[in-house]
Amino acid sequence: MNGSAVHDRLPSAASWRIALPHTTAAVPVARALIRTALAELEHSADGDTAELLTAELVANAVEHTAGEGPIELVVELAPGGCQVEVHDPDPAPPGNLTLPCEGEPDPWQEHGRGLLLIRTLSSSCGHRPTSSGKAVWFRLPAIPAQRRPV
């Protein structure tokens, strides 16, 4: 799904939003928030993957958008999975979030794998314009009970 597609939300069992600083300090805070939310609500989405992908979205928002205003983390947890959005003030769409990139990432570069991880590990992802910039999001399905770690 891309920015021009209709953004349909999960039927929410629990949802929240929080402003985060537009600094790298937001990344570990966002990871902790996701980990805590999934654990406290005993949610069945893959917590490790949710943490990793949330960290990627927040890091990209901090690194690739201008401005000193906060970014916003929006989390929706439902029986069928979870959806995480990061809102930032830059209306420009993220590069190649929903399209495969040409070739493999350069193994010697520190950057360039975040969007690949989001595309590969999420059940769906995309971006949409907001009144103050854009929202970049991903979804993770619930893990069936028989496949959950004990």
Side-chain angles (χ1 to χ4, degrees):
M1 182 177 285
N2 62 31
S4 63
V6 174
H7 179 69
D8 55 332
R9 297 198 177 274
L10 294 171
S12 294
S15 66
W16 46 268
R17 59 180 55 225
I18 187 166
L20 297 171
H22 200 184
T23 68
T24 56
V27 176
V29 171
R31 289 182 78 115
L33 288 169
I34 291 294
R35 180 177 46 249
T36 301
L38 292 174
E40 284 185 4
L41 295 172
E42 297 180 4
H43 197 271
S44 60
D46 180 357
D48 292 338
T49 302
E51 242 186 276
L52 173 66
L53 300 185
T54 299
E56 290 296 335
L57 285 186
V58 172
N60 281 349
V62 168
E63 183 175 343
H64 298 292
T65 63
E68 296 184 20
I71 58 175
E72 190 173 45
L73 178 64
V74 179
V75 179
E76 296 182 23
L77 304 175
C82 73
Q83 178 168 304
V84 176
E85 292 184 349
V86 173
H87 295 231
D88 67 57
D90 186 350
N96 294 330
L97 178 62
T98 57
L99 301 172
C101 53
E102 299 290 324
E104 296 293 315
D106 183 344
W108 299 105
Q109 293 296 317
E110 289 184 21
H111 303 287
R113 291 171 189 77
L115 296 179
L116 173 64
L117 285 170
I118 293 166
R119 277 196 319 270
T120 303
L121 298 177
S122 68
S123 59
S124 60
C125 60
H127 58 89
R128 64 182 172 82
T130 65
S131 60
S132 60
K134 72 174 169 301
V136 183
W137 57 271
F138 69 85
R139 287 186 185 155
L140 291 176
I143 299 171
Q146 68 270 22
R147 296 188 59 200
R148 288 185 207 144
V150 188

